[in-house]
Amino acid sequence: MVLVKIIDTTMRDAHQSLLATRFRTRDMLPIAEVIDEAGFYSLEVWGGATFDAAIRFLREDPWERLRLIRERVRKTKLQMLLRGQNIVGYWHYPDDVVEKFVELAYKNGIDIFRVFDALNDVRNMRTSIKKAKEVGAIVQGAMCYTISPVHTIDYYLKLADELLALEVDIITIKDMAGILDPYTAFELVKALKEDFKVPVNVHTHSTGGMAVATYVKAVEAGADYIDTAISPLAFGTAQPGIQTVYYSLPKDKRPSINLKVIDSISKYLRKVIDEKYAHLLNPRILLPNPDVIIHQIPGGMFSNLIAQLREQNALDKLDTVLEEVPRVREELGWPPLVTPLSQIVGTQAVLNVLFGRYKVIAKETKNYVKGLYGRPPAKIREDIKKLILGEEKEITVRPADLLEPRLDECRRVLEEKGFLEKEEDVLTYCLFPEVALEFFKLRKEGKVEAIEKPVYRKVLTIIVDGVEYKVGVEGVDLQAIAEARPVITAPVYTGGSTIQSISQPQIGGQVEENSRVEGEPVTAPMAGKILKIHVEKGARVKKGDKLITFESMKMATDILSPRDGVVVKIVVKPGDKIESGQPLLYIK
């Protein structure tokens, strides 16, 4: 009798999908030792957006989160989601950065690396898989599951063969959108088991409402591992709850887990979510959405689209964007909607709706079409390719082959600025330069989250099998709630991530009453945050010159001068948040 093993996602994918990755380390630590007693095969605790969210919004060190969880979880394996050559970021990094990240992640406590590439381009997974095997970790080779004319059972079998050639230990079917139906899951798992005799892991989300049935059929077909979360951090756009899945499986397949421990964790989660995170739970991500089969948008991307449109005062256009996403995806060669391709396709769809189809083209879209993210699953439509690339040529080499080593340069920058405290800081800076510098500055000033010594105002006593656990529960953090944003926005990489500039910014908007400024204002075309100002007062500019770069919708946008003239006043500075139509500077 072979029992299915459970990979718990409560401390990573579950709260990324439901709470916009805002679950704080201090709220994880009280249950870390308890969850270690549940009998899970492994705990997914790191990777994905958790790294970015920690330094950007929570002001926590993600390496400290991993270290502190590892100190408390001694029996159960810890695992992370690794985006291949993208690591935990949104673009490709050089091999030296990938290798060092894997080495330090393993050193800090990761036992299992689940490695995927957004395009299922195995070339982009090779470096991280090879390094993870070298350091002694277990490797799950993940196949991003999606539905399209080219993504057939044979497609996935050929992909599994490529991954097994790299000596991965487990094949993971990664269904990030919750679109894997029960009978396709049965067919795919059965084929993998029969053709390769390899351990198979199935990961899905409850977005489409099919997840429990999908797991039942996957286990029936021989799946060795399935991913679940602990209710109430389950269902909706997250993984189904282990409590429900357990009773849905045949008795001879049910996992060997301690439901009393899980119940105690569930009580804690309900209490802490009610007190601190309820404001982040959007009703649209809690209910099953059968439309996901059509638009195939993963949970994190769906909440992201809502936030992007809300930021642009265009939430009423959500349904139009959802209709645009599959059109963009087909035109771009059916990429799976998983980070970073989900952000690229989603943001391009938003831009198409707000400004007209391909009137504004994200530079990431251009880079993707050029081949800088890897091979598209199918051919990109020729007219779209021509529109986006013009006379530029595609690349055919592995994208990372074009990148220079970067570790030494990152270390030098941190040393010069006096921010280097440990080796992991170098990786944090390599991954998210601007955000990391801001975080390190706050750390030096003593303004980052003190996660090692949380102060509890309440204590919840949990008794499991006669063992008493004291679990700290904080009171409501009003400041954190006030500052919390509903979605993560991706960082900007120096010299890289920008939207192909908006050449027609709004001009001539509302000027403050009694203003004596001569000239007309150049106004923000979208809401966002000022990153860089490229001109000074008194500068002569020509039409098309770069004036300001600002961040909006997970990317940076260049605003170009709409005319020749002189800059007579600049009314914003780097770091300012701006609204659509707000004057930024004046040109005479």
Side-chain angles (χ1 to χ4, degrees), residues 82-87 92-95 98-99 102 113 115-118 120-134 139-142 159 161-168 375 396-401:
L82 188 73
R83 299 168 182 162
Q85 208 72 29
N86 292 31
I87 312 180
H92 284 201
Y93 298 94
D95 287 339
V98 175
E99 291 171 347
V102 171
F113 290 86
V115 182
F116 78 94
D117 175 69
N120 288 326
D121 188 341
V122 176
R123 299 177 304 167
N124 297 332
M125 304 166 68
R126 190 178 299 129
T127 298
S128 51
I129 289 174
K130 182 180 177 182
K131 187 63 178 182
K133 295 289 292 183
E134 181 183 305
V139 177
Q140 297 179 350
L159 177 57
D161 193 38
E162 288 185 65
L163 290 171
L164 290 168
L166 296 179
E167 300 183 344
V168 301
R375 296 190 190 103
T396 56
V397 300
R398 184 183 72 117
D401 289 342

Side-chain angles (χ1 to χ4, degrees), residues 2-71:
V2 179
L3 303 179
V4 67
K5 297 181 179 67
I6 301 296
I7 296 171
D8 177 76
T9 65
T10 305
M11 290 192 276
R12 207 286 296 177
D13 202 357
H15 75 94
Q16 180 172 326
S17 296
L18 297 178
L19 303 178
T21 331
R22 295 302 197 274
F23 206 56
R24 290 183 174 273
T25 303
R26 67 183 183 217
D27 292 323
M28 297 179 187
L29 296 183
I31 55 167
E33 291 177 83
V34 186
I35 205 169
D36 197 23
E37 304 293 329
F40 293 126
Y41 168 74
S42 63
L43 307 177
E44 188 190 59
V45 299
W46 219 50
T50 56
F51 199 101
D52 178 21
I55 57 174
R56 182 183 293 269
F57 299 118
L58 304 182
R59 300 307 185 192
E60 298 180 1
D61 188 331
W63 298 96
E64 283 296 288
R65 172 180 294 187
L66 176 57
R67 182 180 65 80
L68 292 168
I69 292 175
R70 177 79 282 175
E71 285 179 0

Side-chain angles (χ1 to χ4, degrees), residues 246-272:
Y246 179 89
Y247 289 108
S248 300
L249 294 171
K251 289 185 178 179
D252 63 343
K253 295 288 187 180
R254 289 175 181 171
S256 180
I257 57 174
N258 190 326
L259 288 175
K260 290 183 180 179
V261 171
I262 291 169
D263 182 61
S264 69
I265 297 167
S266 183
K267 287 184 172 66
Y268 168 81
L269 290 173
R270 189 170 296 112
K271 185 176 181 64
V272 79

Side-chain angles (χ1 to χ4, degrees), residues 98 145 182 206 230 242 246 481 566 568:
V98 175
Y145 179 80
S206 294
I230 299 175
I242 178 57
Y246 179 89
I481 289 175
V566 177
V568 292

